[in-house]
Amino acid sequence: MKLVNFRDVRHIKFDFVKHRKKYFIASGFIILLGLLSLLIFGLNLGIDFVSGTRVEIFIGQAFDEGEIIKELKGINLEPKSVVTAGAENDRAVLRYDKTLQKEEIAQIRGLYTEKFGEKVDVSASTVDPTISRELAWKAFYSVLIASIGIILYVTIRFEFRFAVSAIVALLHDAFMVIAFFSIFQLEVDLPFIAAVLTIVGYSINDTIVIFDRIRENLKYAKVKKVEDVENVVNNSIKQTLARSINTVLTVLFAAVALFILGGEGIRNFSLALLIGLISGAYSSIFIASQLWLTWKGKDMERAKFRSAS
């Protein structure tokens, strides 16, 4: 794979800061869609967060989902949903909102062993309501603690404006993933939370690189008006653009491989990772630094107005 050449990218003519309002409008539109989806459809929470039982049945051959539901209905164990899985569509994943007893799982095993033979394998995982509530709160605290840690670090290392801009960009990335899962009603489970935390950690890395370059360039720039800051931000993005593209491309290849070859168990994790990586690359370049620039520009104008009056 040929990586992006640093010298070529530094000399591109594109003005990254000139169209920042368009980036904000585009992101705002997607966020609005996500909010509407959350209000109307909500999230398809997995048993990790709402309690219940997940039953995975290896059947060993392709099957009809309608037939599966009909047979389970016959023994009064109709699931909330049935999903076909496996490389050859030979695996059924059943989801129940209630906790199944051992006898009921044995009943399901007996039903399919009788129909498809001894090769049938049934595995079940159950989460009770207390544990699911605990997991949901721990997931929330994880994101909260990560955000506070990032604000503190960036404020100490850089300045408060950089910290807030970075956090807004991170929340933007996390929300993009949540909105995508809400719109397409994909199951949200614990691996999904792990993916969101991974995105938070990865996305801040790219943003910090750009912020660091802005800070360095500000030391040598003669900043007297907002246009001077715009030039600094524009040049800083160009100077780090090749690094950002190459980094995200290499990680994306790994995430795509994980999505294709990783199996059904981590399919949602790798998909969330893919969406978050793309959003993270976008927000680092088009949102975080532009937010800081807008904020900085407003502060400079206010300071100029105060000194004039």
Side-chain angles (χ1 to χ4, degrees):
M1 181 184 69
K2 185 181 177 182
L3 297 179
V4 178
N5 190 298
F6 283 73
R7 289 183 180 177
D8 293 343
V9 174
R10 284 184 181 188
H11 295 98
I12 61 172
K13 301 292 184 184
F14 187 74
D15 189 336
F16 286 94
V17 303
K18 182 181 176 183
H19 305 287
R20 56 182 180 275
K21 286 184 181 175
K22 294 177 184 174
Y23 312 144
F24 295 154
I25 290 171
S27 289
F29 179 71
I30 297 173
I31 288 170
L32 181 63
L33 280 182
L35 285 173
L36 287 174
S37 177
L38 282 172
L39 287 172
I40 297 169
F41 306 115
L43 286 171
N44 178 19
L45 296 174
I47 63 167
D48 293 335
F49 298 110
V50 293
S51 79
T53 301
R54 175 190 172 99
V55 180
E56 193 166 330
I57 309 171
F58 171 73
I59 294 176
Q61 63 186 61
F63 59 88
D64 179 50
E65 288 182 5
E67 191 180 346
I68 291 284
I69 294 174
K70 185 179 175 183
E71 288 167 349
L72 290 167
K73 202 173 180 179
I75 56 172
N76 294 321
L77 287 174
E78 185 180 2
K80 182 181 180 185
S81 65
V82 177
V83 177
T84 304
E88 298 177 2
N89 293 328
D90 53 3
R91 201 174 288 271
V93 180
L94 318 178
R95 178 181 159 187
Y96 291 89
D97 284 344
K98 65 175 185 176
T99 302
L100 294 187
Q101 303 302 312
K102 288 181 181 176
E103 295 76 17
E104 292 173 313
I105 295 169
Q107 213 177 340
I108 294 173
R109 182 180 286 108
L111 176 71
Y112 289 102
T113 302
E114 186 181 337
K115 184 174 177 62
F116 296 104
E118 293 298 324
K119 60 186 176 185
V120 169
D121 184 39
V122 177
S123 59
S125 55
T126 298
V127 179
D128 69 39
T130 306
I131 292 176
S132 65
R133 278 196 295 272
E134 190 179 332
L135 288 173
W137 276 111
K138 281 185 177 177
F140 171 75
Y141 287 137
S142 300
V143 175
L144 185 65
I145 291 168
S147 300
I148 292 172
I150 290 168
I151 285 179
L152 289 175
Y153 172 75
V154 179
T155 301
I156 295 168
R157 188 82 171 77
F158 294 85
E159 61 171 70
F160 188 63
R161 279 186 293 247
F162 279 124
V164 175
S165 302
I167 288 298
V168 171
L170 288 183
L171 294 177
H172 167 279
D173 300 337
F175 188 79
M176 289 294 160
V177 181
I178 292 170
F180 184 89
F181 270 63
S182 172
I183 291 169
F184 293 97
Q185 285 296 288
L186 300 172
E187 186 175 321
V188 172
D189 49 15
L190 278 183
F192 172 86
I193 300 301
V196 171
L197 286 173
T198 305
I199 292 160
V200 168
Y202 175 81
S203 183
I204 190 67
N205 183 45
D206 248 7
T207 304
I208 289 291
V209 169
I210 297 175
F211 282 175
D212 190 49
R213 185 56 60 93
I214 291 173
R215 187 182 58 170
E216 287 299 313
N217 287 341
L218 279 173
K219 290 179 183 174
Y220 305 102
K222 293 180 180 177
V223 177
K224 294 182 178 177
K225 49 189 180 179
V226 177
E227 287 76 13
D228 297 330
V229 185
E230 288 179 351
N231 287 333
V232 169
V233 172
N234 207 29
N235 290 331
S236 300
I237 292 174
K238 287 179 183 177
Q239 289 165 9
T240 54
L241 187 60
R243 183 259 178 211
S244 299
I245 294 172
N246 286 334
T247 305
V248 76
L249 278 180
T250 50
V251 182
L252 267 179
F253 281 123
V256 169
L258 201 62
F259 179 73
I260 296 172
L261 305 171
E264 195 60 34
I266 57 170
R267 184 63 51 82
N268 283 350
F269 169 81
S270 47
L271 180 60
L273 207 56
L274 271 174
I275 306 294
L277 286 172
I278 294 168
S279 176
Y282 165 78
S283 69
S284 296
I285 298 168
F286 297 102
I287 299 296
S289 49
Q290 317 289 349
L291 280 174
W292 177 84
L293 169 61
T294 304
W295 192 351
K296 178 80 174 175
K298 297 282 184 192
D299 285 350
M300 286 178 70
E301 286 173 358
R302 275 194 290 268
K304 188 177 177 182
F305 177 76
R306 279 197 297 268
S307 61
S309 58

